[in-house]
Amino acid sequence: MILERINELLSEVGQLSAKNAEEIEQLRLKYLSKKGEITALMADFRLVAADQKKAVGMKINELKQLAQDKLEELKASVGTEKQSRELLDLTRTPYPIRLGTRHPLTIVRNQIIDILQRMGFTLAEGPEIDDDLHVFTKLNFAPDHPARDMQDTFFIETNPDEVTKNVILRSHTSNDQSRIMERQQPPIRVICPGRVYRNEAISARAHCFFHQLEGLYIDKNVSFTDLKQVLLTFARELFGPDTKIRLRPSYFPFTEPSAEMDISCHICGGKGCGFCKHTGWVEILGCGMVDPNVLEACGIDSSVYSGYAFGLGIERITNLKYHVADLRLFSENDVRFLRQFESAY
Ligand code: PHE
């Protein structure tokens, strides 16, 4: 009888399992405590025949040992499980991952696009590598115009005859004007952001590449008044409702009349500071009515249609908005600079 019970307990104890310290304690009480199963066996042990006492006693010791070993084993396994769970808390948020930032020029370009799209302009892009025809000739640049000069323009390929320098890095986004008018009849209302290149020594105030955004509006009865109102609304949207604009007569081969637009200095509020050279005004764009010669060169009837164009510098506007003193910061990828734009969109 007692041997049967011992064997039963041996197989039972061999299969014990526990999930935590509390369950292990329950098992200890059940088997090894004073009121436990194994202690209870001792009571029956007294009744065992003398010649069997030795064998049964050894069995009981074996059971006791097994129970003790098993509980130790369970304790150890529950312990390591607990430890590894501490290391691997799946509910925790990951390490504080630093968000990437948009480049300040991208932020400002997106703001500009956003404002002009709300005013009805659609977005287009043209090539950075283009030919003389679209960058200069169709835009009414005289053959000897200084902008075609090596001083300003990067030439990728020069024809052997040296007459047409044909593959060039565009020096302004106005090539998009000629490309769009060439393939589309009015009404045209388009903006073209992009990178432009000029052969200039790199310094805090100049770089060999920068970014512009071109605007083009061609339709019947478009006047300079339309241009002025669009630019005023644009400036107020971008720099705030108190912003003033000033148009100064200027010259571009592809617009007539032409103007440069200043805004009241965003940094000193028009009082005069280092940035605006103490004038209270900062130039942000060139503009004008598209010259009829350009319309005709691009296949648009200048007796029916008129229009305006403007080209603005994105770096310049970004400098104004964020007070960036050195143009080189925009292309050096210094994270100490870029991280300052973490909260902008
Ligand atoms: N393309 C001119 C520049 O780069 C800017 C401009 C664009 C002027 C459109 C008038 C009209 O300076």
Side-chain angles (χ1 to χ4, degrees), residues 24 44 47 55 90 107-108 125 136 143 211 230 250 267 304 318:
I24 294 170
D44 296 339
L47 307 172
L90 297 177
I107 294 168
V108 170
E125 265 180 89
F136 297 128
H211 299 80
V230 161
S250 185
I267 293 175
V304 181
T318 309

Side-chain angles (χ1 to χ4, degrees), residues 187-322:
I188 295 171
R189 298 183 194 95
V190 74
I191 45 172
C192 314
R195 184 173 284 180
V196 302
Y197 302 83
R198 284 183 200 178
N199 192 359
E200 299 202 34
I202 296 171
S203 72
R205 317 199 102 235
H207 213 295
C208 60
F209 67 81
F210 55 99
H211 299 80
Q212 289 188 331
L213 182 136
E214 194 82 6
L216 181 68
Y217 190 116
I218 316 275
D219 207 341
K220 288 177 181 150
N221 303 318
V222 181
S223 71
F224 201 93
T225 322
D226 299 315
L227 169 62
K228 194 176 169 187
Q229 188 57 44
V230 161
L231 293 179
L232 178 63
T233 309
F234 168 73
R236 287 185 172 166
E237 286 282 313
L238 192 59
F239 291 105
D242 297 332
T243 310
K244 294 188 188 61
I245 65 166
R246 178 172 87 169
L247 289 162
R248 284 178 289 104
S250 185
Y251 173 78
F252 300 102
F254 38 95
T255 46
E256 180 58 36
S258 305
E260 275 168 325
M261 185 177 98
D262 301 337
I263 61 159
S264 47
C265 182
H266 189 57
I267 293 175
C268 62
K271 288 191 203 77
C273 67
F275 191 85
C276 60
K277 299 194 189 108
H278 304 281
T279 62
W281 296 96
V282 217
E283 183 202 323
I284 64 162
L285 58 81
C287 61
M289 301 307 291
V290 179
D291 193 302
N293 285 344
V294 174
L295 294 175
E296 295 295 336
C298 297
I300 290 174
D301 188 344
S302 63
S303 64
V304 181
Y305 295 108
S306 57
Y308 60 78
F310 56 89
L312 52 85
I314 296 178
E315 274 80 354
R316 192 145 185 83
I317 292 180
T318 309
N319 286 348
L320 263 177
K321 281 192 87 99
Y322 291 113

